Every structure is written in structure tokens, then in C-alpha cells.
Amino acid sequence: KSSPLSDSTNLASSIAETDLFAHIKNLMWTTLPALVVSFIIFIVLGTGHVGASAAELHHLAGLLTPTWWTVVPLVLLVGMAWAKIPAIPTLLVNVGVTGAYFLLNHNMTTLADVLLNGFKTAAKNDMLQSLLNRGGMLAMMPTVIIIMLALALGGLLTEQKILQAVMMPLANRIKHGAGVITGTIVTGIAANFMIGEQYLATILPGQLWKQAFDRVGLSRLALGRSVEDSGTVVNYLVPWGVAGSFAAQTLGVPVHVFAPFVFFSLLSPVFSLLSAWTGIGIKKRDA
């Protein structure tokens, strides 16, 4: 939600036509409160519950032998992001450096197999295998298919102007900033449940409400934050959503079971609405 390399963060900033890092900075007004409250709730709920023992974790740590090289991609990633280098070049450079290092000890055939089928460790530890034996482009195909279907449905809804027909008259009638932000958040949540795809749930509200933000004198940064707080994070709460389906497949837990515990996704729209109606953290449009 707040990474300069995140697709949704770059998309929201682009739709709102704002500087990426100014957008990320402005996100903190709602992101940090939602994060802190979620953290506190998880501490309270986790008190008294016992997970993995210290012995198991020490045993797992003994199977891992990190070297100085493991820090290089992370430092490179953070450094390029700090230098405000765009996401795609940053990712390509990291993929290239990591791939080159991999080829020092493996051949191109092995690298191609890892890219296609994912990594497979030779370690016999079940926990380590469950952590590392994953990935690859083929493993992403179920999610890619859901994205394709969601985009197709979104294309139909966009072409038929269903959301526009419902929300545009409302957008044109609202005269104050808090109402415009509220409308954007409601549209983003509705788009998530109607389409199931977070990209379109970011694009459509941004396009629908952009002129309304200008009309009431709000900064486009407020628009970008509103679509992030609704279009991006709420998708994890949608059983037929791309993000929700991915999380369900990865965790082996149905969306309706884990959704009540996704506090960050539940709280982000709440803090966005609180910000809108109190005026805290809301930027006005420059004259």
C-alpha cells in the first residue's frame, strides 16, 4: 500500500496525477493509525496463544546460512527506491543482479526452471520446505486467470457505464470535501465487490471523482489516498477478488474465515473517513 515499488501505489499516484513520494507521504495520515491499531489488536488477541517453540525456531535458523550477498539485493532495492528511481527499472536491476549471482553456481537451464516452476530446496526439514518450495510463473497462473476474468468483467461494466450512471449524478451534486472523499471511498469498496479487481477498483473511482476533488478545492493527494484506502486494501476482503483469492490459496483459509481479522483493510477506510470529516491530514488544492 505504501511501497514505491508497489503496483497499486504507483497506479493510485498516476490516476491522481501526483508525485509518487508526495503520495506515499500523504498516505501516512491514515496508514500509520490503521497499522498501529491493527498491531495492538493482534497483540491483545495473541496473548496467551502459543505458536512455534523457541527450539523449533533455533533449529530452523541452524539450517539457514545467510551470507553478505543476501543483503545486497535488499540494499540495492532500498537505495534505488530512496533515490526515487521508478519501480520498473528498480525491479529489473534487482532481477538482473540476483539472476547473475545465481548463474555463478548454476546454469541457465536451472535458472529457467526456477523462474517457471519455482525454487526447490534439498533440505529435508518440513518447515523449511513449506517456506521455500514455492513460486514460479506457473504457480501464478490461477491468480493471473482471475485477473483476466476480473478485467473482462470490469471492461463490460466500464463500457456500459454502470458505475458512472450511479455515482456521477451524486459526484456532481456534492459540494463539500468530506462528502467527496466519502463518495470516493464508497465507490472504491463497491467496485471491489462488483468487479473483484483492485486495479479497476482504483482506476474507476479515481476517474469518476477527480473533477469533484478539483471543484471542492481538495488536493489530488487526497484523491490518491482515498482510492488507496478503499480500492487497494479492501480487495483482500472480497472472496472473488484477486487479492482475496490469492491470500486464500496461499494460506489455505477461505476469505470469509480470515476477513474479520484483516484489521488493516477494515480500518483503513474508517481512518480515511475520520480524516475527511475532521479535516485532519486533508490537503487543499493549491491556488
Side-chain angles (χ1 to χ4, degrees):
K1 182 174 183 287
S2 305
S3 168
L5 303 179
S6 167
D7 51 0
S8 61
T9 306
N10 279 269
L11 178 61
S13 175
S14 176
I15 292 296
E17 300 176 7
T18 59
D19 175 74
L20 174 61
F21 289 88
H23 168 70
I24 293 173
K25 183 178 179 180
N26 191 58
L27 281 175
M28 295 302 105
W29 285 101
T30 55
T31 301
L32 288 180
L35 180 64
V36 170
V37 174
S38 300
F39 184 65
I40 293 172
I41 294 174
F42 279 123
I43 290 177
V44 173
L45 293 179
T47 302
H49 294 272
V50 179
S53 66
E56 290 175 322
L57 295 177
H58 284 303
H59 177 64
L60 181 62
L63 299 174
L64 302 174
T65 54
T67 64
W68 65 268
W69 161 252
T70 58
V71 183
V72 173
L74 180 61
V75 172
L76 188 62
L77 192 71
V78 174
M80 294 184 72
W82 187 267
K84 299 186 178 181
I85 297 174
I88 292 178
T90 298
L91 293 173
L92 288 177
V93 167
N94 275 269
V95 169
V97 170
T98 306
Y101 180 79
F102 186 85
L103 289 174
L104 293 178
N105 300 298
H106 304 84
N107 55 36
M108 185 62 74
T109 302
T110 305
L111 176 60
D113 181 67
V114 170
L115 292 174
L116 192 64
N117 299 304
F119 178 77
K120 300 293 185 294
T121 179
K124 300 304 181 181
N125 183 277
D126 291 339
M127 183 183 297
L128 199 62
Q129 288 184 356
S130 68
L131 290 172
L132 300 181
N133 288 0
R134 59 179 64 244
M137 290 185 288
L138 290 180
M140 296 171 62
M141 285 303 105
T143 303
V144 171
I145 292 173
I146 294 174
I147 293 175
M148 293 172 62
L149 294 174
L151 288 173
L153 174 60
L156 290 173
L157 293 174
T158 302
E159 185 66 24
Q160 296 300 319
K161 301 185 185 302
I162 293 175
L163 273 176
Q164 289 89 329
V166 175
M167 301 306 297
M168 191 60 75
L170 180 62
N172 291 332
R173 298 177 69 175
I174 294 178
K175 304 300 182 183
H176 53 88
V180 169
I181 294 175
T182 301
T184 305
I185 293 172
V186 171
T187 305
I189 294 173
N192 265 305
F193 281 90
M194 290 177 65
I195 302 171
E197 214 288 320
Q198 63 185 154
Y199 296 153
L200 286 173
T202 300
I203 294 171
L204 292 179
Q207 292 175 338
L208 278 171
W209 291 91
K210 185 181 296 184
Q211 300 305 319
F213 274 77
D214 294 341
R215 191 181 70 252
V216 299
L218 289 179
S219 168
R220 291 284 183 87
L221 289 171
L223 170 64
R225 191 175 73 192
S226 298
V227 295
E228 284 255 45
D229 286 337
S230 56
T232 299
V233 297
V234 172
N235 199 258
Y236 289 92
L237 306 176
V238 182
W240 51 90
V242 173
S245 299
F246 173 78
Q249 292 174 11
T250 302
L251 301 173
V253 181
V255 176
H256 72 274
V257 175
F258 69 69
F261 301 97
V262 190
F263 300 116
F264 185 80
S265 295
L266 295 169
L267 290 171
S268 288
V270 173
F271 280 105
S272 195
L273 289 172
L274 288 173
S275 174
W277 288 96
T278 61
I280 299 174
I282 299 297
K283 291 186 177 295
K284 301 295 183 180
R285 188 183 183 190
D286 294 332

